[in-house]
Amino acid sequence: QIPDPEACDQMYESLVRIHTNFYKNKYPRLRETTFTGVTVEDCRTILATDILKQMEDRKKGTWKRLREKFSAKKPEDDLK
């Protein structure tokens, strides 16, 4: 036996609304954005491997970047 059937019914109805995206359909968004306001396309761009490599390069210090830039080239690089 359930001690409070009315509370149980309210919780069930609430779960049904969540499951059926009731509030998403009732209050549609003007644009599909995330919590931070970034669109899905922007997220995909940010997560691309090329962008990640560029961000890693930017994190390096100035001296480390200069050292890598002016260091001797490897023979493997000339083949490419």
Side-chain angles (χ1 to χ4, degrees):
Q1 294 291 336
I2 300 172
D4 190 6
E6 288 181 21
C8 182
D9 289 341
Q10 286 178 347
M11 283 190 246
Y12 178 76
E13 290 298 323
S14 176
L15 290 172
V16 167
R17 284 192 300 269
I18 291 170
H19 177 70
T20 59
N21 289 328
F22 176 80
Y23 293 106
K24 180 181 179 185
N25 297 329
K26 186 176 180 178
Y27 305 107
R29 292 178 163 190
L30 299 176
R31 296 184 316 170
E32 285 296 321
T33 58
T34 60
F35 172 74
T36 58
V38 179
T39 62
V40 175
E41 293 82 22
D42 292 340
C43 287
R44 288 185 182 141
T45 303
I46 291 169
L47 295 176
T49 55
D50 294 337
I51 301 298
L52 288 175
K53 280 186 177 184
Q54 289 177 4
M55 291 179 75
E56 286 176 11
D57 289 342
R58 289 182 186 165
K59 287 182 184 176
K60 291 179 184 177
T62 306
W63 293 114
K64 191 168 187 175
R65 276 187 278 160
L66 287 172
R67 194 175 337 143
E68 287 177 359
K69 185 177 180 179
F70 293 111
S71 65
K73 287 186 177 180
K74 295 179 184 176
E76 300 162 0
D77 293 338
D78 293 336
L79 296 175
K80 291 183 180 179

